[in-house]
Amino acid sequence: VVKGGLSVDVGVRAFMPASRSGVREMAELETLVGQDIQCKIIKLDVEGEDVVVDRRVVLEEEERRARRKRFEELEPGAVVRGTVRSLTDFGAFLDLGGVDGLLHVADMSWGRVNKPSDLLKEGDEIEVKVLKVDPAAERISLGLKQMTPDPWSLVEEKYKIGDRVKGTVARLADFGAFVELEPGVEGLIRTADLSWSRKVRKPSDVLQPGDRVEVVVTSVSTSAKRIGLSLKQALGDPWEELAAQMPVGSIVEGPVVSLADFGAFVELAEGIEGM
């Protein structure tokens, strides 16, 4: 080690600046002493006996060759092992051994993922599938969810019309509530299927995200990836037991819920009104 870099024996004494040594810290220069290295002559002054060499440019060329070779080895559909190098809002960058690939958040799970850090952390080693390779742009797209079958491919076998199933309310919309039946598979309870009562005007009157519910499957379409659900059918139709509970001639009480020119509507039970 000499001032500003290294003294290198290439048959004659040469100087290699620290910035061209290929090491990041000055303290690492000592580790090169005594080693045989490859370097490129970048200055040769015979009369002044001044020779300057560069190791960094050789390392960069070797890295580029290794990257090109690695890109040639990777093909769509291949399963590779990688280490999570960094996380972003839109995905995770994986080190695949000399090249980086992007695992987009949409390809992490068949279920809903709010942010990549919910599933992964830096340093994790995972197996992923190569989805796309673009050597010209040096881009590799990866998929984690593709390591398992699409859950919708099994929906018709698992969910039949009339089945009672359990799930978790994932989110609410103006027209109904989405229920996660399993990761990647959601069904919709439309507002009209939430309750027998006419009082329900919006989903939040009955459900909140995170609620566990038992529902009845009313329709299944794998091509459209839609499952229709009914909460009120799972609760049972109150009209089915009405004749036994309130036979003709019974005296009952209930609040008046609305008035019309021709009479008054009285609530007899949840979902049942009489006139």
Side-chain angles (χ1 to χ4, degrees), residues 26 30 39 53 80 112 126 138 142 155 159 176 180 184 187 219 222 238 240 250:
M26 288 295 291
E30 289 285 355
C39 55
V53 294
V80 295
R112 188 175 297 276
I126 56 174
E138 294 193 347
L142 306 171
V155 159
Y159 301 99
E180 185 181 59
S219 64
T222 53
E240 292 178 356
S250 299

Side-chain angles (χ1 to χ4, degrees), residues 162 164 193-196 214-218 229-237:
R164 297 174 74 94
D193 290 310
L194 287 171
S195 173
W196 295 101
E214 185 175 39
V215 291
V216 172
V217 178
T218 58
L229 305 172
S230 175
L231 178 62
K232 71 180 186 181
Q233 286 189 29
L235 298 174
D237 187 347

